[in-house]
């Protein structure tokens, strides 16, 4: 059986962002270590790495779009938009692009195609959002057809062939990922895609304890 070596999370993150965006996203800003005591130094929490939270607006990941909110007209069936959440952290607007798990896939399907375990309340007009980071070893998934599983539009990982069904809550349809892509609940508000809740399952490269601690602190903010 093939064995996979877990990569250094910081290297994975940098590779992910470089590959996904063709550029390096700066990591800086205020330290929020008070809310994640005990994290490894490589994962030091900065505003750009905080979890997407309720009220964040999704903005284009494409640097050419200058962090503009994703336009509804660009979210079409058969296409996807890559995005980051943008919201207030410590009172300042931040594009949370500093960690791979926060890059998001915005996809749109006919509403009737969205099935359990999709959090249907976390979708709007057939729009569904997932983390783009593969749950196996953290690569950036691409979106394409996967005919052998009957999927016209699947999230497919280029590293070891993980496949996720975005019409069924991001469940694993093929390959080695141990868990599905985390869905991020959204709603369309005033023509923008707005986050309604935290990821519905544990994303890549964060422990359950860190995830729960961050969520609690963000809820208090
Ligand atoms: S990183 Fe291995 S399948 Fe995605």
């Amino acid at each position: 059986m093939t064995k996979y070596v877990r990569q250094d999370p910081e290297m994975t993150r940098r590779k992910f962002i470089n590959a996904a965006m063709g550029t390096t996203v700066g990591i800086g800003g205020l330290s929020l270590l008070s809310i994640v005591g005990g994290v490894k130094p490589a994962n030091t929490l900065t505003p750009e790495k905080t979890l997407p939270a309720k009220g964040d607006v999704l903005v284009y990941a494409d640097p050419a779009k200058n962090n503009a909110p994703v336009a509804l007209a660009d979210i079409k069936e058969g296409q996807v938009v890559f995005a980051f959440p943008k919201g207030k952290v410590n009172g300042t607007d931040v594009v949370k692009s500093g960690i791979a798990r926060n890059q998001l896939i915005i996809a749109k399907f006919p509403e009737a195609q969205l099935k359990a375990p999709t959090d249907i309340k976390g979708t709007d007009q057939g729009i569904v959002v997932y983390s783009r980071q593969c749950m196996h070893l953290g690569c950036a998934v691409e979106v394409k057809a996967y005919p052998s599983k009957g999927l016209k539009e699947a999230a497919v990982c280029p590293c070891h062939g993980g496949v996720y069904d975005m019409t069924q809550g991001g469940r694993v349809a093929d390959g080695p990922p141990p868990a599905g892509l985390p869905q991020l609940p959204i709603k369309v508000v005033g023509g923008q895609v707005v986050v309604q809740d935290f990821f519905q399952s544990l994303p890549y490269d964060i422990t359950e304890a860190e995830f729960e601690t961050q969520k609690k602190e963000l809820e208090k903010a």
Side-chain angles (χ1 to χ4, degrees):
M1 195 168 95
T2 309
K3 286 201 173 153
Y4 299 107
V5 178
R6 193 176 177 92
Q7 296 170 30
D8 174 76
E10 186 68 6
M11 283 303 295
T12 304
R13 183 184 63 76
R14 262 187 269 128
K15 273 196 221 159
F16 178 102
I17 292 172
N18 288 343
M21 298 175 61
T23 186
T24 301
V25 175
I27 308 298
L30 302 170
S31 168
L32 292 183
L33 271 175
S34 61
I35 69 171
V36 284
V39 294
K40 293 169 289 206
N43 278 334
T44 300
L45 189 62
T46 61
E48 294 84 358
K49 292 182 183 181
T50 54
L51 290 170
K54 186 167 181 173
D56 289 359
V57 171
L58 302 195
V59 301
Y60 291 99
D62 179 353
K65 302 260 189 179
N66 263 333
N67 300 140
V70 174
L72 286 187
D74 282 348
I75 307 172
K76 298 180 179 135
E77 289 173 17
Q79 296 179 16
V80 293
V81 177
F82 298 124
F84 287 116
K86 178 180 178 182
K88 293 232 181 294
V89 180
N90 291 343
T92 303
D93 267 334
V94 174
V95 177
K96 299 174 178 175
S97 57
I99 196 154
R101 75 174 78 97
N102 282 358
Q103 188 166 154
L104 305 167
I105 303 168
I106 306 177
K108 184 172 186 179
F109 296 92
E111 288 180 71
Q113 274 185 27
L114 294 175
K115 302 254 164 60
T118 308
D119 171 13
I120 300 291
K121 281 193 193 148
T123 70
D124 198 343
Q125 301 166 39
I127 298 169
V128 61
V129 175
Y130 295 99
S131 171
R132 194 182 171 189
Q133 190 172 31
C134 182
M135 292 300 292
H136 180 222
L137 292 175
C139 294
V141 298
E142 300 293 345
V143 177
K144 54 168 108 167
Y146 196 71
S148 68
K149 295 287 179 183
L151 299 173
K152 284 192 189 148
E153 200 180 4
V156 179
C157 183
C159 292
H160 317 103
V163 180
Y164 303 88
D165 184 346
M166 295 192 294
T167 65
Q168 292 189 19
R171 73 172 180 88
V172 179
D174 208 352
L181 287 182
Q183 184 188 342
L184 186 68
I186 56 89
K187 202 168 186 42
V188 174
V189 181
Q192 299 184 335
V193 184
V194 179
V195 177
Q196 295 301 299
D197 204 346
F198 299 111
F199 283 123
Q200 295 296 281
S201 57
L202 189 69
Y204 185 76
D205 196 22
I206 185 170
T207 67
E208 198 158 347
E210 289 165 357
F211 189 46
E212 293 306 320
T213 303
Q214 273 203 53
K215 288 198 294 187
K216 277 194 194 116
E217 293 299 328
L218 285 163
E219 273 165 352
K220 275 197 256 162

